[in-house]
Every structure is written in structure tokens, then in C-alpha cells.
Amino acid sequence: MGRPDKGKAKKGGIRRLFTWKKLLGTFIVFCLLGMGALYVVYLLVPVPSANAEATMQSNIYKYSNGKILGRTGKINREIVGLDKIPLPVQRAFVAAENKTFYKDNGVDIKGTTRAAWNTVTGKGKQGGSTITQQYVKNYFLSQDQTATRKLKEMVIAIKVDRKMSKSDILAGYMNTSYYGRSAYGIQAAARSYYGVDATKLTTAQGAYLASLLQAPNQYDWTSASTTGRKLVEERWNYVLDNMVGEGWLNASERAGMKFPVPQKPKPSPGMEGQTGYIIEAANQELMRQGVSEEDIKAGGWTITLNIDEKKQKDLVKAVDKQLEDKLDRKGDAKQATVQAGATSVDPKTGAVVAMYGGIGATEHWMSNATRRDYQPASTFKPIVLASAVDNHAVTQDGREIGLGTIYDGTSKRPVVGSPIDFAPENEDDESYGPVTVQKATNSSINSVYAQMIVDVTPAKAKKTALALGMKDGAGFPETPAISLGTMGASTMDMAGAYATLDNHGKKVTPTLVKTAEHKDRTVTGAQAIGEQVISREAADTATQAMTGVVQSGSGFRAAGDYEAAGKTGTSENNRSAWFVGYTPELVTAVGLFGEDAKGNQVTLTDTINPGRANGGRTPAQIWGDYTERALNGGSDATFDLETNGGAQDGTAPDPTPTTEAPTEEPTEEPTTASPDPTAPPTSTATTPPQPTRDPVTTPPQPTQEPTATEEPTAPPTSIQPPDAGGDPGVNSTVRPPR
């Protein structure tokens, strides 16, 4: 026998080493090891908490008609439930991304492996993920394209698929995906591309939004290249064809569909203009309702306001026409100090239908509608009258106070019956002699109302003011001087107080928020209409008195084709000028404030017009312009009043017939007999002339109506009063307020 063939022996050894049994065994071992490794990974990789961006939402603020006023938050997203998304739109997303979504276990092993391998080998970003995997990536992980992240994504997707329903996963996917145009989630996308809420999307529109997810920026039709448009249209057709193939869309319906070209991008509503003021005021109101600041900042709220879109625009137009168009803010430093604020309220519901906070929230951060650092001046006088009637107050000689009650209108007349000396000067130091309360209201006679508040007592007048809605503060002492409105108040405060008068004494609290909805709670607006806080007779008497102010008094510039009641007011040193008034349907408070660049209060004199800026001038003109617009040109509504005393047409006559024109609001601070309003009296008051008849029960005969004239132009009188709006005891050339 010959020697064995060495080559054959070598081959046989290799065969013995790599037999099919050994190879199969090795493969099985590796598979088991791999499966074991995957199981270990499955056990070790937890389902993490959601990443910060996935849960971040914006707050949406809407007008009362549902139109968006503005939004806040870093990310434009509003999470909606799947029940808010039409079923065909849901199916369009499944048809676009993962037809087996309802059947698979959350992963596509083949697709994921291919995508991971291509990423590792540098062949670029590849797809292959299921809807569940994409939801996991958006909600729990990051957008990093790494093998490690891909492995975690797959493991977590399996766990999520076992714990969550397919509906919840699909909703999460549609709410966390990015659609371009800074829109995150289906709701933001629907508004951005089609101007509707997600619930109103058509099948064709849903298919386009589903197509966008593959390349949001490239597929935005309005900015896409020719190639981009071609690709997204092909993608859109692909989605619809898949829906037909899955039995989710009728073929004939599919054949009739046209590509739904989206609208052009619109800038997101920002905080400029009046928006920022309104949103901040709404947030403050929500916090008073028990919603924490942290909850508001977390986002996800849809807040519907009572702001009426038309009336809001009407108010801005009125301020622009009557004030801003007449000012040179850039070229005139004095004119630049003028600030305007306004609040308009529906007296039947308490709804704040319009608000003006200033030239713009991004330019002047403090809202002039809600600030309380300026005096409301003589707009407080009707509250004194209402308190007198409500408390059945009587004069020093025992006569019940009403519209026809006679008072001494002598300028600088010391009040009688007060432990605090007070003798305010009238406008231009004019003495009127005996006058009715109606006349004193029309002409805003300081000496009359100073005595009236003593008769009713400052404590009771303050109590009435607080009941009507004004706020207590350090500047609201119980002294005769408050008859001239020396406390601080906002336009919203005054609108609320006057709305209560308009509502016949039933409390009206101005409310901005109608509803605030979150995924797990709903907050309704504050209770706006409350109980009867003063008698109807008291409220209606104040209303009657103020109709005279508009018809033939200092507020004649606010008159229009509507029945109105109102009161002018101009504070000391002319730092603020007001007109607050109402019709049966609408209450509006307008204020002008002098403020320099450092936030200090300054005079309005020689700013809007030469000389004093009176409440009966620009504020009344703004009020009248706005009211006419808001009431669509006018109104036939009339006041239904039950009043106390005096002529019932708002023109109660004086004891001595006179014919005189209405005067403008004086603009300067109250005059007192002592620089210290809390000092003991140093003079003896004289008793005013008393009529022999009872003017409440036997009113005198009407006299000729006054005619409107321009405000008086007499030079100011030099006095030295306390400066309730600034530093006490400062010498100034001033005029008393009305």
C-alpha cells in the first residue's frame, strides 16, 4: 500500500472541524447569546420620562368669537385628543408611515436593522421606524442618529406597545411630530397650513400633513422648489392610494380629490400692541381663580376671553384718531409723556369686551388699563352721591340728599360737621351760590361734594366705593378730601364701579376670561354678576345725575346718538384726566396719565393741547368715538331709572335761574384750608343758605338749557395744597380738580 495522500487528509480534517452540525450548533449558540443579550437589554433599558420638549406646549388665547388673539410659549404646540381628529385623517397618517401599525408589536426589525446599519456605516439617515418607534423617539428620546439611540428606541417601543393602546400611541405621535412652520403637533399644523382646528381637517388635507412629516421644510408647498412640490404631491398620492388599498377610502372618492394647496404662512401672533396687555391681565385673573403661575407657564391652556374682536379694534381706532394721531412721540418730549388706558365692560354680563393698555406691550410694559397709581379725581363724585342716597343721608340741617337738594356752591367754603378742616376751591375759584346737586354734578362743583361727603360721612362713602368694586389702599383715607378722588384707581376698577351703577346697584365684576381649558381641567370665568350692593334708587339717582353731565355739563363732548351718563375727572397737577361713562349697553372708562421715561408722574398740561388736558376734552372724545363705533353708529336703548329727587330728565335747575355754558374739567389738585388734611380744624364753617321749600318733594321749575362752549381759559390760581398724588407740601401753580 502506498502512503496516504496528505492533501486529502488535510481536507478531511477541515470537514471534520466545520461540519454542518457544528456550524448549526454555533449559529444556535450565537442566536441564543444574542437573544439573551437582547433580553438583558430589554430588562436594563427602562421607559424614561418624557423629554422636556415633548410635553412643552403653548398657551392659546382667543377672542370671544374663537379667533386666536395670541399665544405664549417657546413651542407652538397644543395637544389634542384623538377624538378631536377625524378618523380619515388618523388613517392617512397610518397609511403614510406604517400600514401595519394596528397589527405589529411596535417595531420593524428588518427596517430598524437596515436603518441602524446604514447610519453606522455612514450611508446617511435612513427610515424604517414604525409609528410607535417614531413616537418613542419624539416623546422619550432625542433626535440623535446613533446606533445606541436606535437600539433604545426599539426596546422602549416594544415596552410602550405592550403598555399603551394603539390609539394613545397614534395620538402621541401626531401631537409630538414636527410639521414645519414652527408647528409641533397636528393642531398647530392644521392652523398653520389650513387655518382650521384639527377637528375640521378634510381627508385630503390630512394626507398632505401626513406627507409633510417625511421632509417638513422641503415639502411646504408655498416655499418648495419645483422638485419639492413634485415630490410632496407624489407622496400625497401615495398616502391616498395606500388608504384605498387598506379599505379606508372609497376609490371613487379618492379619484375626485384635488391636491389641497395650503395657505401662505402667517406670522404667529406675538405680544406686541394690545395683545401683551390683555394676555397678562388674563393670566392675573386666572391666578386669582386658583390657577398657579407655574401651571400657566407650563403651557397647554386654551383660554377663551370675553374680548370682542370688533370692539377691541374699535377702541384702538378711537384712541389712535383722538390721541395718537395728534401726538409727536418721537419729536416732542412732552407729548411723549402722555399715556392712555381704557377698559370697556358689558354691564349685563361683566364681560370685559375691550381693553387699551398703552402704545404697545413691547414698548410700554405697564398696562395703563390696570395700573392703580393715578387718581380718578372727580369721577369719584357720583359714588359719593350714590352713597348719600343709599344711606339716606341728610344735610347738616336735616334735609334728605337727592338731585334737587340745595347746597352752597361758594368756592373755598369750609365744610361743616367734620373734625378735619377742608375748604376746596372750585374751578377758577368760581362761586356758584345756592345750587342743586344736579347742577353741582354737571359743573363738578368741589365745594358741594366736599360738604356732601361730610354729610354722608367719608367712612360710609368709602364703604360704598368698595362695595361697587373700587380697591382699598394707602391712598384711600376716610377724610373729606376723598370726595375729589384722591385715592388710586385703574380704568378697570372705575369701569366696574360704574357698571354696577348702570346695573341698578347689582355688583358687576369685570371679567376677562370666559373659559380656560387644559387636558385635565377646565376653569370657568369668575362670577361677574353678584348681589345687590346698593339700592336701585341710589344707583339710578347717580345715573340720572350723570346724564346731565353729558347733556349739558362738562362731558358734553361724549354725547352722541345714544343715551349716556358719565363723569369727567382731572387730578391734581393735571397728572391724570378721565372720562368714565356708560349707555344702557356699554360701560367704558378712559384715562390719560402723564408719565416720563423714568416712570414718574408728570403733568399733562401743554401736551395734548395748549394748557390743561381736561377729562371733558380728549378722554371724552375718545369715549364718544369708541362708543359710537362699538354701538354701530348709535342706539335707541334708554335708561330705566328709579331716582331720588330733582328733575327726572337730568337737568335739575338751580334755585336762581341762570343760563350758562358747560365748563371743562379743572385739572389741578384739591385745595384745603390746611396743608395737613388730618390737622384739627382752625376755622369755623358757615352754614349754607337753606331754602324754605323741600327741593326733594317740590322741585323748582326748569330753566333754559346751558349751551356748550370751550373750556375756560382763565389763568391758574396760585395756591399751596397738599400734593396727594406726589410729595406733600410742594408749592405749585395749580388748579383744583373736578
Side-chain angles (χ1 to χ4, degrees):
M1 292 179 66
R3 299 176 62 186
D5 190 309
K6 294 182 179 180
K8 291 182 178 180
K10 187 175 181 180
K11 289 180 180 179
I14 293 173
R15 290 193 187 99
R16 287 193 296 273
L17 182 63
F18 294 100
T19 64
W20 68 270
K21 292 182 178 180
K22 291 181 178 180
L23 290 173
L24 179 60
T26 302
F27 176 74
I28 292 174
V29 169
F30 274 107
C31 286
L32 291 173
L33 289 174
M35 291 174 64
L38 288 174
Y39 182 69
V40 171
V41 171
Y42 182 84
L43 293 176
L44 293 178
V45 176
V47 177
S49 300
N51 64 61
E53 287 192 358
T55 57
M56 192 176 294
Q57 302 182 64
S58 57
N59 288 328
I60 308 297
Y61 298 81
K62 298 180 177 180
Y63 288 107
S64 59
N65 61 7
K67 185 176 179 180
I68 294 178
L69 166 68
R71 62 168 56 93
T72 61
K74 296 180 180 179
I75 288 183
N76 178 19
R77 178 192 284 124
E78 181 185 352
I79 295 175
V80 295
L82 205 62
D83 60 320
K84 302 292 184 182
I85 305 171
L87 182 59
V89 175
Q90 299 175 34
R91 289 174 168 173
F93 278 76
V94 175
E97 295 293 325
N98 182 194
K99 290 188 294 182
T100 63
F101 169 69
Y102 293 111
K103 304 172 185 176
D104 62 37
N105 64 355
V107 296
D108 178 356
I109 299 295
K110 181 179 178 181
T112 301
T113 303
R114 181 182 66 250
W117 175 256
N118 288 335
T119 299
V120 169
T121 56
K123 294 184 179 180
K125 301 176 182 179
Q126 301 291 321
S129 297
T130 63
I131 282 177
T132 306
Q133 287 175 267
Q134 292 183 62
Y135 165 61
V136 166
K137 178 181 66 175
N138 293 339
Y139 193 76
F140 298 106
L141 303 174
S142 67
Q143 302 299 314
D144 297 338
Q145 294 293 329
T146 64
T148 301
R149 199 272 297 157
K150 203 71 178 176
L151 180 60
K152 287 182 178 179
E153 173 191 300
M154 184 174 65
V155 172
I156 295 171
I158 295 172
K159 291 187 174 184
V160 166
D161 188 75
R162 294 182 61 185
K163 294 180 178 179
M164 295 177 62
S165 69
K166 290 291 186 181
S167 294
D168 288 342
I169 292 171
L170 181 59
Y173 167 67
M174 297 176 75
N175 277 307
T176 56
S177 296
Y178 178 63
Y179 296 77
R181 296 191 182 183
S182 299
Y184 290 82
I186 184 68
Q187 177 77 322
R191 287 175 175 156
S192 181
Y193 286 92
Y194 293 107
V196 298
D197 286 336
T199 187
K200 295 182 180 180
L201 285 170
T202 66
T203 302
Q205 292 170 342
Y208 173 76
L209 295 180
S211 302
L212 273 176
L213 298 184
Q214 191 175 66
N217 296 322
Q218 183 183 2
Y219 287 174
D220 185 340
W221 185 267
T222 59
S223 60
S225 63
T226 302
T227 301
R229 288 188 174 186
K230 179 181 178 182
L231 291 174
V232 72
E233 195 164 4
E234 289 175 354
R235 179 75 174 170
W236 178 76
N237 283 307
Y238 164 80
V239 172
L240 294 177
D241 291 343
N242 280 351
M243 292 181 70
V244 173
E246 294 295 321
W248 296 335
L249 180 63
N250 184 277
S252 60
E253 184 181 353
R254 158 73 183 95
M257 286 186 178
K258 295 182 179 180
F259 184 80
V261 176
Q263 67 184 14
K264 293 181 179 180
K266 297 180 179 179
S268 298
M271 299 290 283
E272 66 277 356
Q274 302 307 306
T275 302
Y277 299 126
I278 295 171
I279 287 176
E280 177 58 26
N283 288 344
Q284 292 296 322
E285 187 172 303
L286 279 175
M287 285 187 270
R288 291 193 293 272
Q289 287 288 94
V291 181
S292 69
E293 186 175 6
E294 291 73 19
D295 286 345
I296 295 173
K297 288 183 177 179
W301 292 90
T302 298
I303 301 162
T304 302
L305 305 173
N306 288 318
I307 296 292
D308 182 288
E309 184 182 12
K310 176 188 176 298
K311 288 184 174 63
Q312 180 62 36
K313 292 178 179 178
D314 289 339
L315 182 55
V316 173
K317 289 176 183 176
V319 176
D320 285 346
K321 179 180 179 181
Q322 301 297 336
L323 177 66
E324 293 299 328
D325 291 350
K326 301 175 182 179
L327 296 178
D328 180 7
R329 290 193 175 277
K330 294 183 178 180
D332 190 313
K334 292 192 70 174
Q335 291 185 8
T337 63
V338 180
Q339 295 291 334
T343 302
S344 187
V345 175
D346 181 335
K348 298 299 185 292
T349 65
V352 176
V353 295
M355 175 184 287
Y356 188 90
I359 56 176
T362 57
E363 301 165 78
H364 181 262
W365 66 272
M366 179 179 286
S367 174
N368 297 323
T370 57
R371 66 190 305 170
R372 292 193 176 104
D373 53 338
Y374 283 84
Q375 298 176 359
S378 289
T379 61
F380 186 74
K381 286 176 180 173
I383 296 174
V384 177
L385 174 59
S387 185
V389 176
D390 192 51
N391 288 285
H392 303 286
V394 296
T395 63
Q396 295 295 303
D397 63 338
R399 292 171 294 118
E400 185 177 4
I401 299 173
L403 295 180
T405 304
I406 305 298
Y407 272 97
D408 184 355
T410 301
S411 184
K412 298 180 183 178
R413 172 191 175 278
V415 296
V416 178
S418 171
I420 299 174
D421 189 46
F422 189 49
E425 180 182 331
N426 294 333
E427 160 77 8
D428 294 330
D429 199 18
E430 181 177 357
S431 290
Y432 294 84
V435 292
T436 62
V437 167
Q438 180 67 66
K439 169 60 181 173
T441 307
N442 289 0
S443 299
S444 202
I445 301 174
N446 293 338
S447 57
V448 170
Y449 272 91
Q451 182 61 57
M452 188 188 299
I453 202 170
V454 172
D455 295 342
V456 70
T457 76
K460 289 182 180 179
K462 179 177 179 178
K463 183 178 180 181
T464 299
L466 299 181
L468 291 174
M470 293 187 70
K471 302 298 185 289
D472 200 354
F476 208 149
E478 296 176 2
T479 65
I482 64 171
S483 62
L484 307 183
T486 56
M487 72 295 293
S490 69
T491 64
M492 187 174 288
D493 293 338
M494 298 310 296
Y498 275 50
T500 302
L501 296 176
D502 197 1
N503 200 33
H504 308 295
K506 201 168 186 178
K507 179 68 177 292
V508 178
T509 301
T511 56
L512 265 171
V513 177
K514 183 183 294 184
T515 60
E517 297 174 290
H518 200 269
K519 63 178 182 179
D520 54 1
R521 67 187 292 199
T522 298
V523 178
T524 56
Q527 180 63 40
I529 305 300
E531 61 184 1
Q532 196 82 26
V533 292
I534 62 172
S535 68
R536 173 167 184 163
E537 182 184 51
D540 288 359
T541 299
T543 298
Q544 180 66 57
M546 288 189 282
T547 62
V549 175
V550 177
Q551 291 173 8
S552 55
S554 58
F556 69 94
R557 286 190 176 90
D561 191 15
Y562 41 74
E563 187 169 20
K567 185 69 184 75
T568 53
T570 313
S571 72
E572 55 184 345
N573 285 328
N574 200 190
R575 290 171 177 160
S576 62
W578 297 71
F579 186 83
V580 186
Y582 47 92
T583 70
E585 307 113 308
L586 194 64
V587 181
T588 308
V590 178
L592 297 184
F593 315 110
E595 181 186 54
D596 65 18
K598 296 181 179 180
N600 300 314
Q601 294 189 12
V602 297
T603 184
L604 291 168
T605 301
D606 295 326
T607 55
I608 309 167
N609 50 260
R612 296 165 294 168
N614 298 294
R617 199 177 185 91
T618 301
Q621 290 169 328
I622 292 172
W623 189 95
D625 190 323
Y626 162 69
T627 300
E628 183 177 14
R629 294 173 190 266
L631 297 180
N632 299 314
S635 173
D636 294 329
T638 58
F639 293 117
D640 177 21
L641 303 179
E642 298 175 5
T643 61
N644 178 326
Q648 298 306 299
D649 62 357
T651 57
D654 301 321
T656 303
T658 60
T659 302
E660 55 186 279
T663 58
E664 280 294 336
E665 280 293 287
T667 62
E668 308 302 341
E669 64 260 55
T671 304
T672 63
S674 169
D676 181 3
T678 62
T682 57
S683 62
T684 302
T686 58
T687 303
Q690 307 299 333
T692 56
R693 56 180 167 77
D694 183 354
V696 176
T697 58
T698 312
Q701 296 302 308
T703 59
Q704 182 180 348
E705 288 284 343
T707 57
T709 63
E710 292 295 324
E711 66 271 22
T713 57
T717 303
S718 180
I719 58 176
Q720 184 179 338
D723 187 349
D727 299 324
V730 177
N731 292 328
S732 304
T733 300
V734 296
R735 284 183 178 273
R738 282 188 181 173

